[in-house]
Amino acid sequence: MRRVVCNGLRLGLRDVTEADVPALHAVYGDPAATQHMPFAPRSPREVADLVGQAMEAARAEPRLLYVLAVVDAEHHDVIGVARLRVEPEHPHSAEIGFGLHPHQWGRGIGTDLVRLLLSFGFKQLGLHRIWGARSPDNLPAQLAMLTAGMVEEGRIRHHLRTPAGWRDSVVHSVLEDEWTER
């Protein structure tokens, strides 16, 4: 099994562990942090189940799912979660997603996180295309992805069913030859 370690100036990414459940629940269980996600806030048991599934996925060969703890480089606290899913039918392409604890908002951490995910995908996994979908109302995610060098491709209508009903998604992507590590 290949363990993930990817460090930037302010953040690091590593595989999630059972010890991360309380910190990840602070994100997945927070109504503000999940307002743009396609699910209601999660219970501690649901977060523990997700971590278990992520740990199982980390043992798969080939590995297609990376669920990563976002770690503050200075204090080593888990402040968010990042996800990269390689598409089995297109192994050169992967989808990213991320969530940060609300106390981290407004500091440029989202942009740093997207940059770190792109670096991991292109440099360590050798991907050609990385994409992510966001809620049309999630302007901080839009800013983070655009600032990190991703291009807005368009809107997928009624892409996800959420507790509030069907939601559109706006897709962003970047190709290997467009990406520059900033």
Side-chain angles (χ1 to χ4, degrees), residues 18 106 115 129 138 170 176 181:
E18 290 176 2
R115 286 179 176 146
R129 180 178 187 270
N138 192 345
V170 177
E176 177 185 21
E181 193 164 17

Side-chain angles (χ1 to χ4, degrees), residues 12-14 16 24 28 65-70 80-85 95-100 113-114 116-117:
L13 298 173
R14 63 164 174 74
V16 295
L24 296 177
Y28 280 136
L65 178 63
Y66 297 82
V67 180
L68 307 170
V70 179
V81 62
R83 188 174 179 275
L84 185 144
R85 184 184 63 84
E95 176 187 13
I96 60 169
F98 55 94
L100 291 169
L113 175 52
V114 173
L116 201 54
L117 278 168

Side-chain angles (χ1 to χ4, degrees), residues 111-112 114-115 118 140-150 182:
T111 300
D112 287 356
V114 173
R115 286 179 176 146
L118 297 178
Q142 175 188 28
L143 182 61
M145 289 192 274
L146 290 174
T147 304
M150 298 180 83
R182 303 170 201 201

